[in-house]
Amino acid sequence: MFTLGDMRTPDLDVFESGNSEVDLFFKSRRWFNADKGKAAPPTYQFAGPKGEVVGYAAASFRACACPTDGSESKAKYLVVYAAGLHSRFHGKLDPETDGETFAVSIFRVLEEFARAKNGCAGLYLWVRSDNGRAIAFYKKFGFEADPEGAVQHDDGPPHFTMRKPV
């Protein structure tokens, strides 16, 4: 189950995904646009079968270079700006699915959003090149790294663009 995020959610204050950058994104409410009074990008809260929050994802549709970062052409993608699963659910199976982990369940919902949007090419995200655990998860889920390699976006390690067609 998922709902749009609410900046008053007290669970955000204790969110621990195991990735300090992701935790800071959600805890600081960077995704909440106070000027507009709403989440921008839309941020979704995912709950488990007992109603406890298992994770968050900030995602919205946007035109991105396609099929590679260096392309002149663009296509509509569901861009995942940040996604995090509470560390207590890492590797745990979601009882509402057929043997999938909670992490896979969150990305299945995002994939369904992308499939439901007319003309959407797929899912799109950036991942730091030193985040081996996330890269392995995304590859296992069907994402492919951009063949042009990692790109520097900030002072940290370079980012890979990863896409999953739908």
Side-chain angles (χ1 to χ4, degrees):
M1 180 176 97
F2 66 92
T3 59
L4 276 173
D6 182 336
M7 69 177 282
R8 297 169 300 220
T9 303
D11 184 71
L12 283 170
D13 297 323
V14 295
F15 185 73
E16 295 290 334
S17 70
N19 181 302
S20 59
E21 191 174 0
V22 169
D23 295 347
L24 180 62
F25 177 83
F26 290 113
K27 285 180 178 181
S28 69
R29 278 95 165 149
R30 275 192 228 162
W31 48 270
F32 192 82
N33 186 331
D35 293 338
K36 293 182 178 179
K38 65 179 182 177
T43 298
Y44 302 92
Q45 179 184 68
F46 295 84
K50 296 178 183 173
E52 60 186 324
V53 176
V54 298
Y56 295 91
S60 67
F61 291 97
R62 180 177 129 197
C64 300
C66 181
T68 68
D69 285 345
S71 300
E72 295 284 325
S73 61
K74 292 189 174 198
K76 185 187 315 179
Y77 283 91
L78 178 61
V79 177
V80 180
Y81 293 97
L85 180 71
H86 274 294
S87 57
R88 67 184 179 267
F89 293 101
H90 286 189
K92 301 268 173 80
L93 297 180
D94 180 349
E96 294 182 357
T97 66
D98 189 22
E100 291 182 340
T101 64
F102 283 103
V104 170
S105 292
I106 288 173
F107 272 84
R108 287 262 183 252
V109 169
L110 296 172
E111 185 178 34
E112 288 171 21
F113 283 167
R115 286 185 193 283
K117 184 74 165 181
N118 191 25
C120 183
L123 298 168
Y124 178 104
L125 54 78
W126 288 322
V127 60
R128 289 201 185 275
S129 59
D130 65 346
N131 193 344
R133 182 179 180 160
I135 291 168
F137 170 78
Y138 297 138
K139 284 183 177 180
K140 188 174 179 181
F141 192 73
F143 280 86
E144 295 179 9
D146 192 278
E148 296 190 24
V151 176
Q152 195 70 44
H153 287 288
D154 55 25
D155 295 334
H159 291 77
F160 287 111
T161 299
M162 298 188 81
R163 295 174 179 84
K164 180 180 183 185
V166 293

